[in-house]
Amino acid sequence: ACHFVAVDAMRAVRQRDVRAMAAQMRAVVRLNALGAARDGDAGNMTTMMMMISKARGAPSTMRRSYASAGGADDGARAIRIWPSARAVLAAHDIDVARVVASGKHGIITKEDALAAAAGTSASLRAPIADEPPQTLLDDYAFGLTRAQTHEDVAVHKVRKVIASRLSESKREAPHAYADADVDLSDIEGLRARVLADHGVKVSVNDCVMYAVGRALREVPALNAGWDATTMAAKSFDGVDVCVAVATEDGLITPIVTGADVKSLTAIGADVKALAKKAREGALKPHEFMGGSFSVSNLGMFGVESFSAIINPPQGAILAVGAGVDKVVLVDGAPATKKVMTVRVSTDRRVADEGDSARWLAAFADQFRKTDQWAIT
């Protein structure tokens, strides 16, 4: 698209087609703005919008710069004017593009300027009307119109830290993604048994955390991270799983330590206590700094699937979607099962796609053998 716009712009320059030149200029800036919007480059996007706004006034300026100094059909030459003539026109606030030139080679002389100042009809062309304002796609990209106003919202320091770390992660870590559908058929029965036998309510997220811990013990390749100092992957000794908790100040990831050896109810108790402290702002540094793997669950909000950004220096994070009823084949016959879609994001420097596939298989397998889970 940029190539064709550039070709049209060069043609307009050669032909001194002022309106076409202005249109092509706006088109180039629009393409840059849309590219910035696609890439999430807010700074470049704002710059492009400012340039487009300035370009709205460009047609009249360009006409004044490239308008012919001769007759109406003579548009090939730029304006040539004596300095004394320019001073006269400026003193009388007369647009130089309206003055008919009588000098040699189409130059505007002082006599032409004085005649224009005197109001001689033969010495002045009709004024050139400006183009109407353009409706910009960029206004809609920001969700604003020119008639609307906005208010700058102060960003909490926690959100600033999160934004900085996740921006660094997306910029530095080559993210690789792998999906899997997990059968939740046995989970409801398990939760009912735990409630009946132990009087404890466990959530689907507690079950996810339990399965994550066991899968990391079975496939330790994802229980690793990237050391930016040594520029090497490092394997973590303990399986410490972070769980994303939404607070008023932004997401925070408290850590369930030893998730590969704790029981289901112990993990559930840890998650509940840590989430409460996170929302109260009472977490201690060692309770949210560190960890070897992260889990982000948006299933409770009805989100079926999404991609999570790796929490550096960790090497992987699991995005958990909602359990939904799907029609599947069981022994060749259609049946309805509750299925949960999960997506693991891995740092390609730490683990490859084969590691991700093996880990997802181990994770899904945990949900097929809930009768072997450690409950208490």
Side-chain angles (χ1 to χ4, degrees), residues 181-188 204 299 302-304 321-330 334-341:
D181 285 340
V182 178
D183 187 353
L184 297 180
S185 300
D186 295 340
I187 292 300
E188 289 306 314
V204 174
V303 177
E304 295 187 15
V324 296
D325 292 326
K326 291 186 178 181
V327 177
V328 296
L329 287 177
V330 179
T336 302
K337 285 191 174 184
K338 189 172 287 294
V339 175
M340 174 181 69
T341 299

Side-chain angles (χ1 to χ4, degrees), residues 34-123:
L34 291 174
R38 180 197 61 207
D39 298 334
D41 188 346
N44 193 26
M45 195 157 37
T46 303
T47 302
M48 290 301 107
M49 286 196 66
M50 292 174 64
M51 291 178 65
I52 293 174
S53 178
K54 292 179 179 179
R56 293 193 191 110
S60 60
T61 304
M62 293 175 70
R63 278 192 292 270
R64 294 188 186 102
S65 299
Y66 291 96
S68 168
D73 296 327
D74 184 10
R77 297 188 301 272
I79 292 177
R80 303 178 65 191
I81 183 172
W82 287 1
S84 57
R86 188 182 298 278
V88 171
L89 295 177
H92 291 82
D93 195 23
I94 298 173
D95 188 349
V96 66
R98 295 185 57 201
V99 179
V100 176
S102 64
K104 188 176 181 180
H105 302 302
I107 193 167
I108 299 174
T109 65
K110 183 176 181 181
E111 288 71 21
D112 297 330
L114 291 172
T120 306
S121 59
S123 63

Side-chain angles (χ1 to χ4, degrees), residues 219-222 344 346 348 350-361:
V219 185
L222 266 64
V344 63
T346 54
R348 192 56 179 74
V350 175
D352 59 28
E353 290 77 5
D355 296 322
S356 298
R358 285 188 291 273
W359 186 87
L360 283 172

Side-chain angles (χ1 to χ4, degrees), residues 308-333:
I309 303 174
I310 297 168
N311 183 20
Q314 297 171 13
I317 184 172
L318 184 69
V320 182
V324 296
D325 292 326
K326 291 186 178 181
V327 177
V328 296
L329 287 177
V330 179
D331 297 328

